[in-house]
Amino acid sequence: MQATEKIWRNGSFIPWDDAQVHVLTHALHYGTGVFEGIRCYDTPQGPAVFRLGDHLDRMVTSGALLYMRLPYSVDELRAATMDVICANGLPSCYVRPLAFYGYGQLGVAARDNPVDVVIMSWPWGTYLGEDGLKNGIRAKVSSWQRVGPNVIPHVAKATGIYLNSMLAVTEAINAGYDEAIMLTHDGYVADGSGESLFVVHDGVLYTPDLATGILRGITRNTVIQIAQDLGYTVVEKNLIRSDLHVADEVFMCGTAAEVTPIREVDDVEIGVGEITLAIQKAYLDTATGVSDRWAHWREPVENFARAEA
């Protein structure tokens, strides 16, 4: 990880190396935090954050599902995010807001624990690699099931839930694959360890329904709208493992992964298809400001000055 200069914590800036917490912090023991992954892109019109308001709205909702009331409004978090980007001078960066139950009582119930909020930014290239973005990745259906909606609310982007994802993707990487695909307890396709999933068959896009308990992916929503605007039909429905193997195309999407083709699932060769590449191009052109279409998703960073090399 490349360190940057400043991190925003509870309303003020601190140096990167000073961003520390007590070892008895509640979230460190019990995974009681919520976060977002956001990208700022260096567009021809200057740095712009992609779907910032939607991410921050979801973060507040995630907190509510953990009985956590964030001490800052969405507007305050938006301003702080812009300040962090400006403070670090990176026109293209990954932004990570995080709210968590801090140091206080260590009982499992977070009673009277403070809610700490931090916002970080740093350079982060293509999550699954440039080659994966171009030529596709290899994925494996995991032996680990996606956690059920009545076990932990996966619609909340909560830190503790990602233990489920960590186990799945580590298993996949150890077996020689790039990413994991997780199924629900009743055998339906859920998602990747940190991405939403789409299948293409006979020119129609299929994606697991939100009723499976998956995260309400913002990139998923973006891809659905882009695909429909490009003239493709998108169907949200239950998918089974075999649907992945007989698909014409399969791809993953997420803020970090953007739109990444899956060329192989469980050693079944699928390849990289034209529809996936068309949606990938439209998505990246939109996020980077190459296209004026869907420009309302980009929020310009004002008063930005680039960091000196």
Side-chain angles (χ1 to χ4, degrees):
M1 175 175 288
Q2 180 178 332
T4 55
E5 187 175 349
K6 298 290 185 182
I7 287 176
W8 186 93
R9 183 176 71 183
N10 295 334
S12 59
F13 284 110
I14 59 173
W16 177 281
D17 290 338
D18 290 348
Q20 301 171 10
V21 297
H22 197 282
V23 293
L24 289 174
T25 294
H26 194 276
L28 183 62
H29 291 254
Y30 304 122
T32 49
V34 296
F35 71 99
E36 282 295 323
I38 305 169
R39 279 195 186 270
C40 178
Y41 289 91
D42 190 7
T43 78
Q45 298 78 34
V49 187
F50 197 63
R51 299 198 66 168
L52 176 59
D54 295 308
H55 280 286
L56 296 178
D57 284 339
R58 185 174 66 179
M59 184 171 171
V60 171
T61 300
S62 294
L65 288 167
L66 268 64
Y67 308 108
M68 176 190 294
R69 182 175 180 179
L70 272 62
Y72 300 96
S73 68
V74 167
D75 285 342
E76 289 171 325
L77 293 172
R78 175 185 283 105
T81 299
M82 296 299 190
D83 288 346
V84 168
I85 294 170
C86 289
N88 290 323
L90 297 172
S92 180
C93 59
Y94 185 83
V95 181
R96 170 59 58 85
L98 168 69
F100 58 95
Y101 282 119
Y103 173 76
Q105 300 296 322
L106 202 59
V108 175
R111 300 185 64 183
D112 301 322
N113 290 70
V115 176
D116 293 320
V117 182
V118 294
I119 304 176
M120 303 146 277
S121 71
W122 69 89
W124 198 358
T126 306
Y127 180 66
L128 292 168
E130 289 292 339
D131 183 70
L133 199 67
K134 180 180 178 182
N135 298 313
I137 62 170
R138 301 176 65 242
K140 172 188 185 298
V141 172
S142 179
S143 67
W144 294 100
Q145 297 174 354
R146 172 54 78 194
V147 64
N150 289 323
V151 178
I152 301 176
H154 187 42
V155 293
K157 196 170 176 70
T159 57
I161 296 173
Y162 278 76
L163 174 60
N164 189 208
S165 295
M166 184 277 286
L167 290 169
V169 70
T170 302
E171 176 189 65
I173 291 172
N174 288 345
Y177 299 85
D178 302 303
E179 186 52 286
I181 295 173
M182 304 178 75
L183 306 181
T184 65
H185 74 282
D186 47 3
Y188 293 115
V189 175
D191 49 15
S193 68
E195 309 90 359
S196 300
L197 195 72
F198 285 81
V199 166
V200 181
H201 187 71
D202 289 341
V204 177
L205 279 73
Y206 299 91
T207 190
D209 194 282
L210 291 176
T212 58
I214 59 175
L215 182 71
R216 297 178 182 272
I218 291 169
T219 309
R220 174 186 182 274
N221 174 265
T222 302
V223 165
I224 289 173
Q225 293 189 55
I226 286 176
Q228 291 173 336
D229 285 353
L230 292 177
Y232 298 109
T233 298
V234 181
V235 178
E236 300 177 64
K237 59 169 287 187
N238 284 335
L239 300 171
I240 59 175
R241 185 173 185 166
S242 298
D243 290 324
L244 302 171
H245 298 160
V246 301
D248 299 323
E249 306 175 32
V250 182
F251 66 88
M252 286 179 161
C253 69
T255 297
E258 298 168 314
V259 177
T260 299
I262 299 177
R263 73 171 190 270
E264 186 180 305
V265 177
D266 294 337
D267 301 316
V268 177
E269 189 70 29
I270 297 168
V272 178
E274 293 182 0
I275 294 176
T276 298
L277 293 178
I279 292 173
Q280 180 192 75
K281 183 178 187 305
Y283 176 85
L284 292 175
D285 284 353
T286 299
T288 60
V290 172
S291 170
D292 288 333
R293 201 170 185 181
W294 309 291
H296 62 283
W297 283 330
R298 299 190 300 271
E299 192 160 333
V301 180
E302 298 180 355
N303 303 316
F304 178 83
R306 294 172 186 265
E308 295 182 4

